Amino acid sequence: MTAVRDRDPGLQPERTRLAWRRTTLSATVVALLAGRQALHSGAAPAALVAVALTAVAWLGFLAVGHRRVQRLGVARPDAMAPRGALTAALCTVAFAVFAVAMLF
């Protein structure tokens, strides 16, 4: 049998780190647009609750993204933990739900 050679990740961790930064920036834009929409819609109580929940979801996504970017700084990063992936997915779905709540 041949020995398994170590994998050379090349620039893959750097590309993944940049993707996480772009995605975190997109989440920031979503949170800012939610605040802007709430201010322009007369700041109804439901809209303010949706903005507050959007801010909480943004903070959660920011924490997951920051943690992932930090862990990708090594040559052989560990795989993303299922808990982090679930948190990022839930925050993304929450953004959509809160946006719909703000519209109605």
Side-chain angles (χ1 to χ4, degrees), residues 7 9 13-14 21 27 31 36 48 55-56 66-67 75-76 84:
R7 178 173 97 54
E14 178 67 19
R21 288 188 178 164
R36 180 175 179 254
L48 292 177
V56 170
H66 179 72
R67 194 173 310 121
R76 292 187 168 275

Side-chain angles (χ1 to χ4, degrees), residues 63-76:
V64 170
H66 179 72
R67 194 173 310 121
R68 189 63 190 149
V69 165
Q70 292 300 315
R71 292 191 178 166
L72 286 169
V74 297
R76 292 187 168 275

